[in-house]
Amino acid sequence: MTVAAVAPARPSREHAARGRAAVIGSGFGGLAAAIRLQSLGFDTVCYEAHDKPGGRAYVYEDAGFTFDAGPTVITAPHCLEELCELSGRRLADYVRLLPVSPLYRLQWSDGVSFDYVADEPGLVEQIRRINPGDVEGYRRFADFTRQVFAKGYEELGAVPFLNFSDMIRAAPALARLRADRSVYATVSRFIKDEHLRQAFSFHPLLVGGNPLDTSCVYTLIHWIERKWGVFFPEGGTGALIRGLARLFSDLGGSLRLNTPVERVAVQTEGGRTKHVVSAGGLPERFDLVVSNADVHHTYATLYRGVPGAARRQRRLERMSWSMSLFVLYFGTNRRYPDLAHHTILFGPRFQGLLRDIFRGSHLPEDFSLYLHAPTITDPGMAPDGGESFYVLSPVPHLGNAAIDWDEAAEGYGDAILESLEAHLPGVRGAIVTRRHFTPADFAEKFRAHHGSAFSVAPQLTQTAYFRPHNRDPDIPGLYLVGAGTHPGAGVPGVVNSAKATCDTIASDFPVAVDELAAG
Ligand SMILES: Cc1cc2nc3c(=O)[nH]c(=O)nc-3n(C[C@H](O)[C@H](O)[C@H](O)COP(=O)(O)OP(=O)(O)OC[C@H]3O[C@@H](n4cnc5c(N)ncnc54)[C@H](O)[C@@H]3O)c2cc1C
């Protein structure tokens, strides 16, 4: 491809932009990066393969029901506020966040139930009801999570670990916190009752990690929830995504939907690297690219043939990938008003099931489920008198278990619904619309390696410096954002990854690219 065949840079403002940036993908991480880049003065184009922004936070609208496809537990709202404050705006002008309480209702197959609330007296009361002997241990555990939060979230969460020396500096603190211990092992040091151990250990599953081998750094999620609580956007997570997309366009950014990027070529022009993005029409030239696409897809397909990409691809193929999910969305013509917004239904097996999900080569017959009932907080998510649900079951990724999901999905969904009858009596007869999303859909629709739902697994050996870096070490001008880079998956994780990535870009491009070329 010659430079002459490329569309010229498009000066979109009266003043010269700091440079031209492309963001590939409009997941939470991509949108957060696009907003930051536009706020930094880059003329930014965000390419999205699908017809709506959001990525895993896509929205389905069926028969009057609104189904958020992915994230529903919104924590650490300050990272979203910060995106608006960069340009002197307020999040409240774009979306209203409603507090959710209890944060989760946990239910076990033996009938034990636990309302996980954010306020300490309420939480302690719930613990006392299950095992009074664990109250003191919980208090020590909470204090531990506060310390992990101060180090792992406040200090290191949005710092890009680009050099090994960054890791060396963080190592003593990680060693002091015994980051080599798993979440479950750490919780078990403080808490004796098995139900309570599970109650304070399940959080890594929210970001694709196995509680049995994810570093106890992830216990900081408990403190995030205690400190800020859990929220649900009015109108659903999709309303938050639409708000962020509107903010990006208010800032002058360009969001191109239905525009999958096919390839990116890297060229040198006047001593500077340019990225030529091909997405349907005329290829366009950019000073930098931030890829929010699956990190394996980024190197194996988008940058295929660019020096350094094949090595990254091979490295990613040696890494451990998070589990996948089976998600069933369904709307009912009746309400279940006694439900909590978020319910976790633990099956009879905990450790054995986790081993099957993360290392097994087949689809386990039993499951632990997360049930989402957004109408409890926002009745507008379903038609009058109806309830909008999704139920999610963690399942092995396709690299471990090559399940034919076309074959398995319907029956697996039926088995889940049958088990839900105990919590939602008569549910099967009340369903008016139903759809599912499988590991094969993650692979096909998001180009997710192994159909993983959360990208590279959050293990200590794949954390911080050992995770794919926010700035590619070999390809100048290529940056990553989202679940596959530091700090990792989950809405706060990917939004903080945008901060780490864009802080790096701001120091790599201190002045307008044209001035750099002239100087
Ligand atoms: C079912 C489910 C439930 C979850 N629940 C929660 C929760 O409650 N709370 C929480 O904090 N986290 C939750 N998570 C995790 C969280 O949703 C993700 O970690 C996060 O949303 C991922 O964001 P991302 O920025 O990495 O981008 P993604 O959401 O992965 O989006 C990437 C985008 O890139 C686009 N793309 C890919 N390739 C191309 C290309 N070649 N050209 C153009 N576009 C491309 C895709 O179409 C997609 O839109 C959940 C995840 C899932 C799947």
Side-chain angles (χ1 to χ4, degrees):
M1 178 189 307
T2 64
V3 175
V6 168
R10 177 178 49 90
S12 69
R13 297 181 241 212
E14 284 164 20
H15 61 279
R18 195 165 177 175
R20 283 203 88 212
V23 177
I24 303 176
S26 67
F28 265 107
L31 281 175
I35 290 166
R36 283 187 176 273
L37 287 170
Q38 197 66 33
S39 304
L40 280 168
F42 288 91
D43 187 6
T44 308
V45 176
C46 181
Y47 293 92
E48 171 53 55
H50 294 293
D51 61 341
K52 292 178 200 163
R56 280 152 166 88
Y58 192 82
V59 179
Y60 299 109
E61 273 142 4
D62 296 330
F65 295 84
T66 302
F67 297 111
D68 280 313
T72 56
V73 179
I74 302 299
T75 51
H78 65 94
C79 8
L80 300 164
E81 302 272 5
E82 195 181 300
L83 289 177
C84 298
E85 285 161 9
L86 292 171
S87 55
R89 288 159 164 86
R90 291 169 349 131
L91 184 62
D93 296 333
Y94 290 89
V95 67
R96 201 153 79 94
L97 295 184
L98 308 170
V100 174
S101 186
L103 311 189
Y104 313 91
R105 176 164 297 153
L106 312 180
Q107 291 188 316
W108 285 267
S109 51
D110 59 7
V112 174
S113 170
F114 179 82
D115 272 3
Y116 188 122
V117 289
D119 71 292
E120 180 161 340
L123 193 57
V124 162
E125 200 36 54
Q126 290 285 320
I127 295 169
R128 202 186 304 281
R129 218 170 36 77
I130 292 186
N131 184 22
D134 274 330
V135 168
E136 204 32 55
Y138 167 73
R139 288 210 167 96
R140 285 187 290 113
F141 170 70
D143 190 54
F144 172 79
T145 65
R146 187 183 52 74
Q147 293 172 47
V148 181
F149 168 84
K151 195 74 207 172
Y153 186 86
E154 290 189 312
E155 211 175 295
L156 302 175
V159 171
F161 282 80
L162 301 176
N163 304 303
F164 193 60
S165 54
D166 299 329
M167 197 69 204
I168 300 281
R169 267 195 297 281
L174 293 174
R176 257 196 315 279
L177 295 168
R178 290 303 309 266
D180 57 312
R181 285 193 176 128
S182 75
V183 168
Y184 183 79
T186 301
V187 170
S188 301
R189 286 178 52 232
F190 296 101
I191 289 170
K192 300 287 165 281
D193 180 87
E194 182 54 27
H195 293 101
L196 294 175
R197 284 180 172 178
Q198 294 176 17
F200 293 105
S201 294
F202 75 85
H203 291 89
L205 289 164
L206 300 177
V207 290
N210 180 350
L212 302 179
D213 63 23
T214 297
S215 162
C216 71
V217 169
Y218 285 84
T219 58
L220 62 79
I221 300 176
H222 175 66
W223 196 258
I224 288 179
E225 291 176 344
R226 277 277 311 269
K227 190 173 164 70
W228 289 296
V230 161
F231 296 86
F232 188 67
E234 188 174 40
T237 307
L240 172 56
I241 287 290
R242 288 192 295 279
L244 295 180
R246 185 154 64 84
L247 168 60
F248 176 54
S249 90
D250 287 353
L251 294 171
S254 159
L255 174 61
R256 301 204 193 146
L257 300 174
N258 295 310
T259 312
V261 172
E262 292 130 22
R263 284 297 277 269
V264 186
V266 178
Q267 300 176 340
T268 305
E269 208 181 283
R272 293 202 66 80
T273 306
K274 299 283 172 187
H275 293 241
V276 182
V277 173
S278 298
L282 206 52
E284 284 191 56
R285 203 162 62 239
F286 293 92
D287 300 299
L288 66 101
V289 165
V290 177
S291 179
N292 180 225
D294 177 88
V295 65
H296 183 270
H297 171 62
T298 299
Y299 290 108
T301 305
L302 300 179
Y303 279 82
R304 192 173 69 227
V306 174
R311 193 150 53 92
R312 294 278 145 229
Q313 176 188 343
R314 282 195 299 275
R315 188 155 180 268
L316 285 164
E317 285 165 4
R318 287 194 300 272
M319 295 180 96
S320 221
W321 287 70
S322 82
M323 84 294 195
S324 193
L325 299 172
F326 174 88
V327 196
L328 184 70
Y329 309 88
F330 59 98
T332 59
N333 57 14
R334 56 166 289 193
R335 295 218 59 189
Y336 292 89
D338 296 334
L339 282 177
H341 185 140
H342 305 291
T343 306
I344 309 236
L345 299 162
F346 290 98
R349 295 191 306 145
F350 184 70
Q351 301 206 21
L353 181 57
L354 286 173
R355 271 192 294 274
D356 284 351
I357 291 167
F358 284 90
R359 295 196 205 117
S361 57
H362 65 282
L363 183 60
E365 281 179 14
D366 54 339
F367 21 67
S368 279
L369 303 171
Y370 158 63
L371 180 68
H372 181 229
T375 15
I376 301 300
T377 305
D378 181 355
M381 301 292 285
D384 280 351
E387 198 91 64
S388 162
F389 286 107
Y390 90 47
V391 60
L392 166 165
S393 174
V395 295
H397 67 56
L398 297 170
N400 284 346
I403 295 157
D404 179 350
W405 279 101
D406 283 345
E407 181 75 16
E410 204 64 28
Y412 192 64
D414 288 346
I416 288 176
L417 287 173
E418 188 182 338
S419 84
L420 281 182
E421 287 278 348
H423 306 276
L424 308 175
V427 66
R428 283 175 296 177
I431 292 178
V432 290
T433 179
R434 162 182 172 174
R435 63 160 69 223
H436 55 245
F437 201 84
T438 72
D441 292 314
F442 281 102
E444 191 208 318
K445 303 213 164 63
F446 294 121
R447 311 296 302 266
H449 189 53
H450 293 325
S452 160
F454 302 88
S455 192
V456 173
Q459 298 169 351
L460 191 59
T461 50
Q462 303 188 155
T463 293
Y465 176 76
F466 303 114
R467 217 167 167 74
H469 295 183
N470 302 76
R471 177 180 61 207
D472 182 273
D474 300 316
I475 305 174
L478 171 62
Y479 300 82
L480 303 179
V481 76
T485 186
H486 172 73
V491 174
V494 302
V495 171
N496 277 330
S497 81
K499 184 172 185 177
T501 299
C502 294
D503 285 355
T504 307
I505 294 171
S507 64
D508 290 350
F509 293 80
V511 291
V513 173
D514 292 348
E515 288 172 43
L516 277 178

